[in-house]
Amino acid sequence: MAKNTSTKNTAEWNYAASPESTSHIRLEKKYQLFINNEWVSPSSKKYFPSTNPASEEVLAEIAWANDVDVDKAVKAARKAYQEVWSKLSGAERGKYIYRIARMMQERAREFAVIESLDCGKPIRESRDVDVPLACNHFFYYAGWADKLEYAMPHKKPEALGVAGQIIPWNFPLLMAAWKIAPALAAGNTVVLKPAETTSLTALKLAEIIKDSGLPPGVVNIVTGYGDTGAAIVNHPDIDKIAFTGSTNVGKIIQRAIAGTHKKSTLELGGKSANIIFDDAPIDQAVEGIVNGIFFNQGHVCCAGSRLFVQENIAERVIHKLKSRMESLYVGDPLDKNTDIGAINSKEQLETIEKYIRIGKEEGAEIYQSQCAIPSKGYFCRPTLFTGVSQSHVIAQEEIFGPVLTIQTFRTVDEVIQKANNTPYGLAAGVWTDKGSRIFNLTTKLRAGVVWANTYNKFDPVSPFGGYKESGFGREGGVHGLGAYLK
Amino acid sequence: MIKTFDPNNMLSKITVDKVGVEERVARFQTRSIKNESKLQGLKMVLNMIDLTTLEGKDTPGKVQQMCYKAQHLHDVQPDLPTVAAVCVYPSMVSVARKALGNSSVKIASVSTAFPSGQSTREIKISDTKFAVDQGADEIDMVISRGKFLAGEYAFVFDEIAAIKEACGKARLKVILETGELSTLDNVRLASDIAIHAGADFIKTSTGKIQPAATMQVTYTMLMAIKDYYDKTGIMVGMKPAGGISTSKLALHNLVMVKEVLGNAWLTNEWFRFGASSLANDVLMQIMKSTTGLYQSSDYFSID
């Protein structure tokens, strides 16, 4: 007998909640400063909370280092440099760095979960991008430690000494890796300050550093706010300042170290152009736009925040982009299906909302995806503005959030001019089927990185850094090594 | 009325970047489908399967057995749907018609000198009419890949339009045989031609050529369907066929359809899997999610 149970699948098919487990992570209630491979309470006796931006709950209390603590850390680093680290062979240094890389890999899951908790970024990104890339930076630079003469031919490469490193909150563990790995490979010792909203993964990295048996004082981690960073910048016994963060703070640092012996590399803000020509693979370009501006909630210094679309395809591209935005999931950073997580802090959310208001006041047309966002925590819908011109504030200033401005252009010369018409020069994207056009643009765009038919691709082998007010010096690759050598 | 070819309006001239497509597809594959979504998804997959046997050695007995299985996938488990259709050669349509009786399971028949399509238009049309007369609800035709690769797009278009005419009320699935088209640019172009020529469904493969229904190819075809829908408001169905033999891959395909085209496409009216061994893997997963245990493949019938 025939059975007729064919279901009419008219019901919606949605993804059930799929949160990554937090049962395997270990977090202390209170974190001290990491100096000389020991956990030291701050002489300020002050602590500040680190909160989960998705739930506004406090994750841990973090020590607030003052200039006495920073001095202690710099002294430890100097002693370690003079007595141990500078005397080790490159091969021996490499072994320690490899060991740190492997131990990070073993604890990758814990790092990913803590990063998402502390930072608000979706677990998909911390698991598939931040943590693996951070490990790869250590692996990559471990390999250079005994080959410095090959990296710098016809020179006798020498370490600088003690490096003071100040990193931002958008890629906390990855930025720590970008800073620490090349410094150690080149033979320097380190005092690192993570951003005040995202100290946890750097402190977990400190645990690994301690467990790895790295000699005491080679890596010191001091937590705190801007005053802690200032104490590092102004400390007389530091040989090099490496900073990633805002252009404003970068300028302050440069003023502070002017006339001193300190070397520096600054990786600052950006307002990068993503340029779509009419012969581009349009659907992949739309993916590139999404990846360029909505990756990590747009908290990316090289975010493709200014979109330039050739006039004859603008309508189609914008239609496709809006439709794609509707399929992005905004919500719980720990859910494996979340595409866009929480904004890192209340202050940053206010900044983004301020710029959205400005955009509306300037008369640009706003479009935000219709998705529901959680009532608790700091969230922002993916946003785009059309009808934008070069003179709009939203097209000039770095918003550091999921906000895209769209302008159209007609000719190649016009778009090159407009793309370069900014004080920044960190990155750019070019989308076209024509190889010759790619090479023409890469030579004319004043940007440290130009991606062709892709966006936001990172690799330890590839140098990264800016033109103009986006900073100077390169990180990654052989170039990144040079920044830590005499 | 038979449609006529108008390259300016019918070919989107959209280029496809393979690297970008691979990245997009990888994103679908990281979606986590758990608990009730998984069970619901698996049942949807069963209901979208075109249970297929397309072999020279097919016999009426084999087809009868498959038709029974199509309606009784695993009777120990209640609330299972039937598959969407059985897919057979034209000579087996009458056998299937008799075996299925008044079941809601449809009969799909391949035609047009399947799988190579190397024959005359007259033969292809009569092949199609024969299958429809025998009781086929759906026709799975193949395009002339040789003509397509030679750039004779009008020929390919006219042939599809003529077969569509011959189908009458039967729904037409157009097989692009993407494994022979070599680039995603070609897959996109062939999709545009088939859709404009009147395809109710576009389908990746015959199952006789590798690679068959890769997610990259299916994604490219889904984008063609989406663009056509955005332009005209007309829905076209999609059928990946060949190579989808696991539940996981099938669920990834559902994710892709949902995120590219939306929930409206997630019924067997608009999405099908052409497969023979997929059903049992899905059944095994469904039993696992209800009993908590994986059962031996011996517990699942292989008609």
PDB file of all heavy atoms in Angstrom, chain A residues 409-438:
ATOM      1  N   PHE A 409      32.168  55.997  -8.962  1.00  0.00           N
ATOM      2  CA  PHE A 409      33.163  56.674  -9.790  1.00  0.00           C
ATOM      3  C   PHE A 409      32.953  56.250 -11.232  1.00  0.00           C
ATOM      4  O   PHE A 409      32.271  55.267 -11.516  1.00  0.00           O
ATOM      5  CB  PHE A 409      34.583  56.335  -9.320  1.00  0.00           C
ATOM      6  CG  PHE A 409      34.976  54.897  -9.583  1.00  0.00           C
ATOM      7  CD1 PHE A 409      35.665  54.539 -10.749  1.00  0.00           C
ATOM      8  CD2 PHE A 409      34.650  53.899  -8.686  1.00  0.00           C
ATOM      9  CE1 PHE A 409      36.018  53.220 -10.992  1.00  0.00           C
ATOM     10  CE2 PHE A 409      34.998  52.575  -8.917  1.00  0.00           C
ATOM     11  CZ  PHE A 409      35.679  52.241 -10.072  1.00  0.00           C
ATOM     12  N   ARG A 410      33.563  57.035 -12.155  1.00  0.00           N
ATOM     13  CA  ARG A 410      33.428  56.710 -13.568  1.00  0.00           C
ATOM     14  C   ARG A 410      34.730  56.186 -14.163  1.00  0.00           C
ATOM     15  O   ARG A 410      34.752  55.193 -14.843  1.00  0.00           O
ATOM     16  CB  ARG A 410      32.945  57.926 -14.358  1.00  0.00           C
ATOM     17  CG  ARG A 410      31.505  58.319 -14.093  1.00  0.00           C
ATOM     18  CD  ARG A 410      31.291  59.799 -14.261  1.00  0.00           C
ATOM     19  NE  ARG A 410      32.114  60.560 -13.330  1.00  0.00           N
ATOM     20  CZ  ARG A 410      32.274  61.869 -13.343  1.00  0.00           C
ATOM     21  NH1 ARG A 410      31.693  62.595 -14.258  1.00  0.00           N
ATOM     22  NH2 ARG A 410      33.038  62.470 -12.448  1.00  0.00           N
ATOM     23  N   THR A 411      35.853  56.863 -13.858  1.00  0.00           N
ATOM     24  CA  THR A 411      37.092  56.489 -14.540  1.00  0.00           C
ATOM     25  C   THR A 411      38.160  56.041 -13.548  1.00  0.00           C
ATOM     26  O   THR A 411      38.073  56.319 -12.350  1.00  0.00           O
ATOM     27  CB  THR A 411      37.662  57.679 -15.331  1.00  0.00           C
ATOM     28  OG1 THR A 411      38.050  58.680 -14.383  1.00  0.00           O
ATOM     29  CG2 THR A 411      36.643  58.253 -16.299  1.00  0.00           C
ATOM     30  N   VAL A 412      39.162  55.362 -14.083  1.00  0.00           N
ATOM     31  CA  VAL A 412      40.262  54.856 -13.264  1.00  0.00           C
ATOM     32  C   VAL A 412      40.990  56.004 -12.560  1.00  0.00           C
ATOM     33  O   VAL A 412      41.250  55.947 -11.356  1.00  0.00           O
ATOM     34  CB  VAL A 412      41.259  54.068 -14.141  1.00  0.00           C
ATOM     35  CG1 VAL A 412      42.438  53.600 -13.304  1.00  0.00           C
ATOM     36  CG2 VAL A 412      40.577  52.870 -14.780  1.00  0.00           C
ATOM     37  N   ASP A 413      41.295  57.079 -13.308  1.00  0.00           N
ATOM     38  CA  ASP A 413      42.035  58.200 -12.715  1.00  0.00           C
ATOM     39  C   ASP A 413      41.269  58.822 -11.560  1.00  0.00           C
ATOM     40  O   ASP A 413      41.837  59.175 -10.530  1.00  0.00           O
ATOM     41  CB  ASP A 413      42.324  59.272 -13.775  1.00  0.00           C
ATOM     42  CG  ASP A 413      43.346  58.776 -14.783  1.00  0.00           C
ATOM     43  OD1 ASP A 413      44.088  57.836 -14.437  1.00  0.00           O
ATOM     44  OD2 ASP A 413      43.369  59.306 -15.912  1.00  0.00           O
ATOM     45  N   GLU A 414      39.956  58.944 -11.769  1.00  0.00           N
ATOM     46  CA  GLU A 414      39.110  59.539 -10.741  1.00  0.00           C
ATOM     47  C   GLU A 414      39.168  58.720  -9.447  1.00  0.00           C
ATOM     48  O   GLU A 414      39.323  59.263  -8.356  1.00  0.00           O
ATOM     49  CB  GLU A 414      37.678  59.599 -11.279  1.00  0.00           C
ATOM     50  CG  GLU A 414      36.690  60.167 -10.286  1.00  0.00           C
ATOM     51  CD  GLU A 414      35.241  59.975 -10.755  1.00  0.00           C
ATOM     52  OE1 GLU A 414      35.035  59.489 -11.881  1.00  0.00           O
ATOM     53  OE2 GLU A 414      34.331  60.293  -9.975  1.00  0.00           O
ATOM     54  N   VAL A 415      39.092  57.407  -9.589  1.00  0.00           N
ATOM     55  CA  VAL A 415      39.033  56.593  -8.377  1.00  0.00           C
ATOM     56  C   VAL A 415      40.390  56.552  -7.672  1.00  0.00           C
ATOM     57  O   VAL A 415      40.465  56.521  -6.437  1.00  0.00           O
ATOM     58  CB  VAL A 415      38.481  55.177  -8.672  1.00  0.00           C
ATOM     59  CG1 VAL A 415      39.507  54.271  -9.293  1.00  0.00           C
ATOM     60  CG2 VAL A 415      37.955  54.552  -7.367  1.00  0.00           C
ATOM     61  N   ILE A 416      41.457  56.607  -8.442  1.00  0.00           N
ATOM     62  CA  ILE A 416      42.786  56.640  -7.808  1.00  0.00           C
ATOM     63  C   ILE A 416      42.923  57.917  -6.986  1.00  0.00           C
ATOM     64  O   ILE A 416      43.352  57.897  -5.833  1.00  0.00           O
ATOM     65  CB  ILE A 416      43.902  56.553  -8.871  1.00  0.00           C
ATOM     66  CG1 ILE A 416      43.914  55.166  -9.522  1.00  0.00           C
ATOM     67  CG2 ILE A 416      45.272  56.847  -8.247  1.00  0.00           C
ATOM     68  CD1 ILE A 416      44.837  55.038 -10.711  1.00  0.00           C
ATOM     69  N   GLN A 417      42.502  59.031  -7.587  1.00  0.00           N
ATOM     70  CA  GLN A 417      42.570  60.323  -6.885  1.00  0.00           C
ATOM     71  C   GLN A 417      41.761  60.306  -5.599  1.00  0.00           C
ATOM     72  O   GLN A 417      42.234  60.725  -4.547  1.00  0.00           O
ATOM     73  CB  GLN A 417      41.988  61.397  -7.798  1.00  0.00           C
ATOM     74  CG  GLN A 417      43.032  62.315  -8.367  1.00  0.00           C
ATOM     75  CD  GLN A 417      42.383  63.460  -9.134  1.00  0.00           C
ATOM     76  OE1 GLN A 417      41.163  63.468  -9.378  1.00  0.00           O
ATOM     77  NE2 GLN A 417      43.191  64.424  -9.515  1.00  0.00           N
ATOM     78  N   LYS A 418      40.542  59.797  -5.711  1.00  0.00           N
ATOM     79  CA  LYS A 418      39.667  59.791  -4.534  1.00  0.00           C
ATOM     80  C   LYS A 418      40.175  58.822  -3.466  1.00  0.00           C
ATOM     81  O   LYS A 418      40.113  59.119  -2.272  1.00  0.00           O
ATOM     82  CB  LYS A 418      38.238  59.425  -4.941  1.00  0.00           C
ATOM     83  CG  LYS A 418      37.523  60.574  -5.616  1.00  0.00           C
ATOM     84  CD  LYS A 418      36.072  60.222  -5.896  1.00  0.00           C
ATOM     85  CE  LYS A 418      35.316  61.449  -6.391  1.00  0.00           C
ATOM     86  NZ  LYS A 418      34.000  61.099  -6.936  1.00  0.00           N
ATOM     87  N   ALA A 419      40.658  57.681  -3.895  1.00  0.00           N
ATOM     88  CA  ALA A 419      41.140  56.688  -2.931  1.00  0.00           C
ATOM     89  C   ALA A 419      42.328  57.248  -2.150  1.00  0.00           C
ATOM     90  O   ALA A 419      42.474  57.012  -0.954  1.00  0.00           O
ATOM     91  CB  ALA A 419      41.520  55.399  -3.640  1.00  0.00           C
ATOM     92  N   ASN A 420      43.175  58.012  -2.845  1.00  0.00           N
ATOM     93  CA  ASN A 420      44.363  58.574  -2.191  1.00  0.00           C
ATOM     94  C   ASN A 420      44.081  59.865  -1.419  1.00  0.00           C
ATOM     95  O   ASN A 420      44.927  60.331  -0.671  1.00  0.00           O
ATOM     96  CB  ASN A 420      45.456  58.850  -3.230  1.00  0.00           C
ATOM     97  CG  ASN A 420      46.114  57.563  -3.714  1.00  0.00           C
ATOM     98  OD1 ASN A 420      46.068  56.552  -3.005  1.00  0.00           O
ATOM     99  ND2 ASN A 420      46.682  57.598  -4.900  1.00  0.00           N
ATOM    100  N   ASN A 421      42.894  60.399  -1.602  1.00  0.00           N
ATOM    101  CA  ASN A 421      42.527  61.682  -0.999  1.00  0.00           C
ATOM    102  C   ASN A 421      42.111  61.489   0.466  1.00  0.00           C
ATOM    103  O   ASN A 421      40.967  61.646   0.858  1.00  0.00           O
ATOM    104  CB  ASN A 421      41.378  62.279  -1.838  1.00  0.00           C
ATOM    105  CG  ASN A 421      40.860  63.584  -1.269  1.00  0.00           C
ATOM    106  OD1 ASN A 421      39.688  63.901  -1.395  1.00  0.00           O
ATOM    107  ND2 ASN A 421      41.714  64.359  -0.624  1.00  0.00           N
ATOM    108  N   THR A 422      43.080  61.081   1.312  1.00  0.00           N
ATOM    109  CA  THR A 422      42.848  60.814   2.730  1.00  0.00           C
ATOM    110  C   THR A 422      44.189  60.923   3.439  1.00  0.00           C
ATOM    111  O   THR A 422      45.227  60.640   2.840  1.00  0.00           O
ATOM    112  CB  THR A 422      42.247  59.407   2.945  1.00  0.00           C
ATOM    113  OG1 THR A 422      42.385  59.047   4.324  1.00  0.00           O
ATOM    114  CG2 THR A 422      42.965  58.349   2.109  1.00  0.00           C
ATOM    115  N   PRO A 423      44.179  61.351   4.711  1.00  0.00           N
ATOM    116  CA  PRO A 423      45.466  61.369   5.441  1.00  0.00           C
ATOM    117  C   PRO A 423      45.988  59.966   5.729  1.00  0.00           C
ATOM    118  O   PRO A 423      47.139  59.810   6.111  1.00  0.00           O
ATOM    119  CB  PRO A 423      45.115  62.082   6.751  1.00  0.00           C
ATOM    120  CG  PRO A 423      43.702  62.505   6.666  1.00  0.00           C
ATOM    121  CD  PRO A 423      43.059  61.887   5.494  1.00  0.00           C
ATOM    122  N   TYR A 424      45.125  58.987   5.587  1.00  0.00           N
ATOM    123  CA  TYR A 424      45.525  57.610   5.885  1.00  0.00           C
ATOM    124  C   TYR A 424      46.084  56.912   4.651  1.00  0.00           C
ATOM    125  O   TYR A 424      45.948  57.394   3.537  1.00  0.00           O
ATOM    126  CB  TYR A 424      44.334  56.818   6.407  1.00  0.00           C
ATOM    127  CG  TYR A 424      43.809  57.290   7.736  1.00  0.00           C
ATOM    128  CD1 TYR A 424      42.544  57.878   7.834  1.00  0.00           C
ATOM    129  CD2 TYR A 424      44.555  57.130   8.892  1.00  0.00           C
ATOM    130  CE1 TYR A 424      42.055  58.307   9.057  1.00  0.00           C
ATOM    131  CE2 TYR A 424      44.065  57.543  10.119  1.00  0.00           C
ATOM    132  CZ  TYR A 424      42.819  58.138  10.198  1.00  0.00           C
ATOM    133  OH  TYR A 424      42.330  58.540  11.403  1.00  0.00           O
ATOM    134  N   GLY A 425      46.671  55.741   4.862  1.00  0.00           N
ATOM    135  CA  GLY A 425      47.176  54.957   3.717  1.00  0.00           C
ATOM    136  C   GLY A 425      47.576  53.562   4.145  1.00  0.00           C
ATOM    137  O   GLY A 425      48.708  53.141   3.959  1.00  0.00           O
ATOM    138  N   LEU A 426      46.638  52.851   4.760  1.00  0.00           N
ATOM    139  CA  LEU A 426      46.999  51.538   5.275  1.00  0.00           C
ATOM    140  C   LEU A 426      46.776  50.434   4.253  1.00  0.00           C
ATOM    141  O   LEU A 426      47.654  49.622   3.986  1.00  0.00           O
ATOM    142  CB  LEU A 426      46.212  51.253   6.563  1.00  0.00           C
ATOM    143  CG  LEU A 426      46.735  50.132   7.441  1.00  0.00           C
ATOM    144  CD1 LEU A 426      48.225  50.280   7.699  1.00  0.00           C
ATOM    145  CD2 LEU A 426      45.989  50.094   8.771  1.00  0.00           C
ATOM    146  N   ALA A 427      45.576  50.384   3.685  1.00  0.00           N
ATOM    147  CA  ALA A 427      45.271  49.265   2.795  1.00  0.00           C
ATOM    148  C   ALA A 427      44.309  49.707   1.705  1.00  0.00           C
ATOM    149  O   ALA A 427      43.741  50.798   1.760  1.00  0.00           O
ATOM    150  CB  ALA A 427      44.658  48.113   3.584  1.00  0.00           C
ATOM    151  N   ALA A 428      44.146  48.837   0.715  1.00  0.00           N
ATOM    152  CA  ALA A 428      43.160  49.063  -0.340  1.00  0.00           C
ATOM    153  C   ALA A 428      42.819  47.724  -0.971  1.00  0.00           C
ATOM    154  O   ALA A 428      43.583  46.765  -0.856  1.00  0.00           O
ATOM    155  CB  ALA A 428      43.695  50.026  -1.402  1.00  0.00           C
ATOM    156  N   GLY A 429      41.660  47.694  -1.618  1.00  0.00           N
ATOM    157  CA  GLY A 429      41.262  46.493  -2.357  1.00  0.00           C
ATOM    158  C   GLY A 429      40.892  46.886  -3.769  1.00  0.00           C
ATOM    159  O   GLY A 429      40.328  47.958  -3.989  1.00  0.00           O
ATOM    160  N   VAL A 430      41.257  46.036  -4.731  1.00  0.00           N
ATOM    161  CA  VAL A 430      40.913  46.281  -6.132  1.00  0.00           C
ATOM    162  C   VAL A 430      40.240  45.036  -6.685  1.00  0.00           C
ATOM    163  O   VAL A 430      40.763  43.929  -6.557  1.00  0.00           O
ATOM    164  CB  VAL A 430      42.176  46.571  -6.971  1.00  0.00           C
ATOM    165  CG1 VAL A 430      41.790  46.827  -8.419  1.00  0.00           C
ATOM    166  CG2 VAL A 430      42.939  47.759  -6.411  1.00  0.00           C
ATOM    167  N   TRP A 431      39.064  45.229  -7.276  1.00  0.00           N
ATOM    168  CA  TRP A 431      38.319  44.092  -7.823  1.00  0.00           C
ATOM    169  C   TRP A 431      38.110  44.297  -9.313  1.00  0.00           C
ATOM    170  O   TRP A 431      37.403  45.217  -9.727  1.00  0.00           O
ATOM    171  CB  TRP A 431      36.970  43.949  -7.121  1.00  0.00           C
ATOM    172  CG  TRP A 431      37.117  43.655  -5.669  1.00  0.00           C
ATOM    173  CD1 TRP A 431      37.395  44.550  -4.675  1.00  0.00           C
ATOM    174  CD2 TRP A 431      37.033  42.372  -5.035  1.00  0.00           C
ATOM    175  NE1 TRP A 431      37.475  43.891  -3.464  1.00  0.00           N
ATOM    176  CE2 TRP A 431      37.250  42.571  -3.655  1.00  0.00           C
ATOM    177  CE3 TRP A 431      36.771  41.075  -5.496  1.00  0.00           C
ATOM    178  CZ2 TRP A 431      37.233  41.520  -2.739  1.00  0.00           C
ATOM    179  CZ3 TRP A 431      36.744  40.041  -4.590  1.00  0.00           C
ATOM    180  CH2 TRP A 431      36.978  40.260  -3.225  1.00  0.00           C
ATOM    181  N   THR A 432      38.753  43.477 -10.116  1.00  0.00           N
ATOM    182  CA  THR A 432      38.604  43.554 -11.564  1.00  0.00           C
ATOM    183  C   THR A 432      39.075  42.239 -12.159  1.00  0.00           C
ATOM    184  O   THR A 432      39.869  41.519 -11.559  1.00  0.00           O
ATOM    185  CB  THR A 432      39.436  44.717 -12.151  1.00  0.00           C
ATOM    186  OG1 THR A 432      39.448  44.607 -13.576  1.00  0.00           O
ATOM    187  CG2 THR A 432      40.876  44.693 -11.668  1.00  0.00           C
ATOM    188  N   ASP A 433      38.559  41.942 -13.356  1.00  0.00           N
ATOM    189  CA  ASP A 433      38.989  40.726 -14.044  1.00  0.00           C
ATOM    190  C   ASP A 433      40.268  40.977 -14.845  1.00  0.00           C
ATOM    191  O   ASP A 433      40.852  40.073 -15.413  1.00  0.00           O
ATOM    192  CB  ASP A 433      37.865  40.265 -14.994  1.00  0.00           C
ATOM    193  CG  ASP A 433      37.651  38.763 -14.926  1.00  0.00           C
ATOM    194  OD1 ASP A 433      38.035  38.160 -13.913  1.00  0.00           O
ATOM    195  OD2 ASP A 433      37.092  38.195 -15.882  1.00  0.00           O
ATOM    196  N   LYS A 434      40.694  42.242 -14.890  1.00  0.00           N
ATOM    197  CA  LYS A 434      41.787  42.641 -15.788  1.00  0.00           C
ATOM    198  C   LYS A 434      43.103  42.748 -15.015  1.00  0.00           C
ATOM    199  O   LYS A 434      43.272  43.636 -14.174  1.00  0.00           O
ATOM    200  CB  LYS A 434      41.424  43.994 -16.409  1.00  0.00           C
ATOM    201  CG  LYS A 434      42.158  44.288 -17.688  1.00  0.00           C
ATOM    202  CD  LYS A 434      41.544  45.480 -18.384  1.00  0.00           C
ATOM    203  CE  LYS A 434      40.732  45.056 -19.588  1.00  0.00           C
ATOM    204  NZ  LYS A 434      40.026  46.160 -20.206  1.00  0.00           N
ATOM    205  N   GLY A 435      44.041  41.863 -15.303  1.00  0.00           N
ATOM    206  CA  GLY A 435      45.312  41.845 -14.595  1.00  0.00           C
ATOM    207  C   GLY A 435      46.088  43.141 -14.717  1.00  0.00           C
ATOM    208  O   GLY A 435      46.632  43.656 -13.740  1.00  0.00           O
ATOM    209  N   SER A 436      46.115  43.721 -15.921  1.00  0.00           N
ATOM    210  CA  SER A 436      46.905  44.937 -16.139  1.00  0.00           C
ATOM    211  C   SER A 436      46.386  46.088 -15.267  1.00  0.00           C
ATOM    212  O   SER A 436      47.150  46.904 -14.760  1.00  0.00           O
ATOM    213  CB  SER A 436      46.854  45.344 -17.611  1.00  0.00           C
ATOM    214  OG  SER A 436      45.517  45.531 -18.006  1.00  0.00           O
ATOM    215  N   ARG A 437      45.084  46.122 -15.077  1.00  0.00           N
ATOM    216  CA  ARG A 437      44.493  47.186 -14.269  1.00  0.00           C
ATOM    217  C   ARG A 437      44.904  47.034 -12.801  1.00  0.00           C
ATOM    218  O   ARG A 437      45.156  48.022 -12.116  1.00  0.00           O
ATOM    219  CB  ARG A 437      42.977  47.146 -14.412  1.00  0.00           C
ATOM    220  CG  ARG A 437      42.295  48.328 -13.769  1.00  0.00           C
ATOM    221  CD  ARG A 437      40.804  48.238 -13.896  1.00  0.00           C
ATOM    222  NE  ARG A 437      40.339  48.666 -15.206  1.00  0.00           N
ATOM    223  CZ  ARG A 437      39.203  48.235 -15.756  1.00  0.00           C
ATOM    224  NH1 ARG A 437      38.458  47.358 -15.138  1.00  0.00           N
ATOM    225  NH2 ARG A 437      38.832  48.677 -16.931  1.00  0.00           N
ATOM    226  N   ILE A 438      44.992  45.784 -12.352  1.00  0.00           N
ATOM    227  CA  ILE A 438      45.423  45.544 -10.975  1.00  0.00           C
ATOM    228  C   ILE A 438      46.816  46.133 -10.764  1.00  0.00           C
ATOM    229  O   ILE A 438      47.055  46.873  -9.808  1.00  0.00           O
ATOM    230  CB  ILE A 438      45.434  44.027 -10.664  1.00  0.00           C
ATOM    231  CG1 ILE A 438      44.002  43.486 -10.626  1.00  0.00           C
ATOM    232  CG2 ILE A 438      46.144  43.748  -9.334  1.00  0.00           C
ATOM    233  CD1 ILE A 438      43.893  41.979 -10.559  1.00  0.00           C
TER     234      ILE A 438
END
